[in-house]
Amino acid sequence: MGAKPYRSIEGDAGTGLLILCDHAENTIPEPYGTLGLKPQDLHRHIAYDLGAAAVAERLAEALGAPAILSRFSRLLIDPNRGLDDPTLIMQISDGLVVPGNVGLGPEEIEARIEHYYRPYHQAIERQVEAVVALGKPPVIVSMHSFTQAWKGVPRPWAVGVLWDKDPRLALALLEALRTIPGIEVGDNVPYSGQLKGDTLYRHGTTRGLAHALVEIRQDLILAPEGQAEWGMRLAHVLRTVLSDASSALHAIELHGSLTDGVPGASAASGPARNGPPVMDERTKVELEAAAFRRLVGHLRARTDVQNIDLMELAGFCRNCLAAWYQEAAAAKGLSLSKEEAREIVYGLAYETWKAKHQTDASAKPRKRTG
Ligand SMILES: [Zn+2]
């Protein structure tokens, strides 16, 4: 595909803000046509969040902050869903079957992830890390819009703030928005912000960055005047919130979810803690080494897994790992023989391992594909 699946608004990283818009456009790339829908269906909320991109732009402009906006319809693949979420690619949206999404094979799903979903999230990650590196962990604001009624029931809120476990930005935003006269403000309505794997879970919660999702009712931001009004409003609210609680908001704090379900990781959950803004080099190397030791331990335990099978499936085997180890040692000026390096990986002499664990089957010619 040609154009990037996202759009960046440069802005000043020094503002320590990042504005996102997951459902910015209803664009469906050329080869997909209309995904089998009537063209007018692509102008409904099922395809994108009407007005949200314009508000995100006005907000970014007013604050001088960078923004990243998607450039593909959520109907193609929804960037605001975890990869294991059944609604990642909607087959039925608001009661409407999406023919182009029905019965997709794993290759097609992977292609959409690779060409649209992943580059969008990688762009966000790059921006986040660039701002963290400046020493001011960014505050993330994600702009969405919602329909004024759902299944015939009107929604009274002009704006809703959605959040999960990190209250820092959400509670401050709610408080500030409630000072605006004449509007109803929703707290985790019309949707809940507690969707594991969504955009803010991925870039906010697990990264320890203060964040909130702001939903504006669609009818208020269909026209340029409403878009400008809400852009200015939110800019004002954010400026207030940031000037009141800047140091708390620009800190990396883990609020729970990161370690959900990870055994032995409970020390990092529970009350907020101040982690280092970036992982120091030594810790990083130690973690990498721990992962390597675990891989080696796993390969030693799984003597049933033959080197030839590893080679065929993954293009590497225990001997490659040993060779990489040997090369890394050589790069540090340490001379290590092939046999010595292999012994580090196998945990015993290679010849001994072969005699004990290498099966005859591995000598047989293998079925080739392709
Ligand atoms: Zn949305």
Side-chain angles (χ1 to χ4, degrees):
M1 56 154 272
K4 280 187 205 157
Y6 60 89
R7 181 159 63 97
S8 301
I9 296 174
E10 192 91 20
D12 172 11
T15 56
L17 270 170
L18 176 58
I19 293 153
L20 303 178
C21 192
D22 294 328
H23 303 143
E25 290 190 14
N26 60 353
T27 308
I28 298 190
E30 192 65 38
Y32 295 100
T34 60
L35 288 170
L37 294 170
K38 296 195 200 83
Q40 60 265 35
D41 287 325
L42 301 182
H43 295 281
R44 295 172 44 200
H45 74 101
I46 58 167
Y48 72 127
D49 286 3
L50 281 79
V55 174
E57 283 168 27
R58 295 292 87 77
L59 178 60
E61 220 169 72
L63 296 169
I68 296 173
L69 302 88
S70 72
R71 297 213 63 192
F72 55 92
S73 169
R74 66 188 302 177
L75 286 172
L76 186 73
I77 186 165
D78 192 337
N80 194 32
R81 293 291 182 276
L83 284 172
D84 55 357
D85 192 300
T87 61
L88 178 68
I89 297 175
M90 289 283 237
Q91 301 190 38
I92 299 175
S93 186
D94 199 4
L96 195 67
V97 173
V98 186
N101 288 351
V102 175
L104 300 184
E107 296 84 12
E108 175 54 27
I109 295 169
E110 182 51 37
R112 292 191 194 183
I113 293 170
E114 189 190 327
H115 294 131
Y116 304 98
Y117 184 100
R118 203 170 280 138
Y120 173 68
H121 285 294
Q122 284 170 342
I124 297 173
E125 252 157 53
R126 280 196 299 274
Q127 181 66 32
V128 162
E129 294 315 322
V131 183
V132 169
L134 292 177
K136 197 175 185 181
V139 169
I140 307 178
V141 179
S142 182
M143 291 305 312
H144 289 254
S145 69
F146 61 95
T147 54
Q148 57 214 90
W150 183 250
K151 299 194 195 296
V153 181
R155 289 161 155 175
W157 318 280
V159 59
V161 177
L162 276 50
W163 59 291
D164 184 8
K165 296 200 163 114
D166 186 337
R168 286 177 291 169
L169 181 61
L171 294 185
L173 273 183
L174 282 167
E175 197 186 319
L177 284 167
R178 284 177 177 142
T179 64
I180 302 174
I183 62 161
E184 199 162 326
V185 178
D187 180 351
N188 262 334
V189 283
Y191 306 104
S192 159
Q194 292 156 350
L195 185 62
K196 200 162 179 174
D198 67 9
T199 295
L200 287 178
Y201 181 86
R202 179 187 279 252
H203 301 286
T205 306
T206 64
R207 190 68 183 81
L209 302 174
H211 61 274
L213 188 152
V214 177
E215 291 262 8
I216 303 175
R217 206 176 64 218
Q218 204 176 82
D219 58 299
L220 302 172
I221 53 171
L222 287 179
E225 301 77 48
Q227 294 161 358
E229 184 192 359
W230 276 93
M232 295 310 289
R233 248 179 195 171
L234 291 177
H236 174 72
V237 160
L238 270 168
R239 269 195 215 103
T240 310
V241 164
L242 287 166
S243 67
D244 287 352
S246 182
S247 59
L249 291 171
H250 291 292
I252 291 184
E253 282 182 14
L254 295 173
H255 290 258
S257 304
L258 176 61
T259 53
D260 283 356
V262 180
S266 56
S269 61
R273 69 183 178 94
N274 286 305
V278 270
M279 195 186 288
D280 64 81
E281 200 52 33
R282 190 193 160 95
T283 307
K284 190 166 161 247
V285 170
E286 283 172 356
L287 296 186
E288 286 164 359
F292 170 81
R293 284 192 294 269
R294 196 149 170 192
L295 171 66
V296 165
H298 179 86
L299 288 172
R300 283 187 193 176
R302 290 291 307 271
T303 51
D304 61 307
V305 178
Q306 297 294 305
N307 280 332
I308 187 160
D309 293 319
L310 280 172
M311 277 312 287
E312 282 197 353
L313 270 170
F316 89 108
C317 70
R318 293 174 182 83
N319 290 338
C320 302
L321 211 51
W324 298 338
Y325 196 98
Q326 189 187 9
E327 280 168 28
K332 289 256 177 206
L334 294 165
S335 149
L336 205 62
S337 74
K338 189 162 95 180
E339 289 312 310
E340 286 166 334
R342 284 184 177 185
E343 201 164 328
I344 287 167
V345 170
Y346 287 91
L348 66 175
Y350 177 51
E351 287 308 321
T352 316
W353 189 92
K354 263 204 323 195
K356 280 172 84 169
H357 304 300
Q358 192 156 302
T359 60
D360 287 335
S362 27
K364 277 188 205 146
R366 291 284 161 145
K367 169 182 76 168
R368 301 219 84 87
T369 53

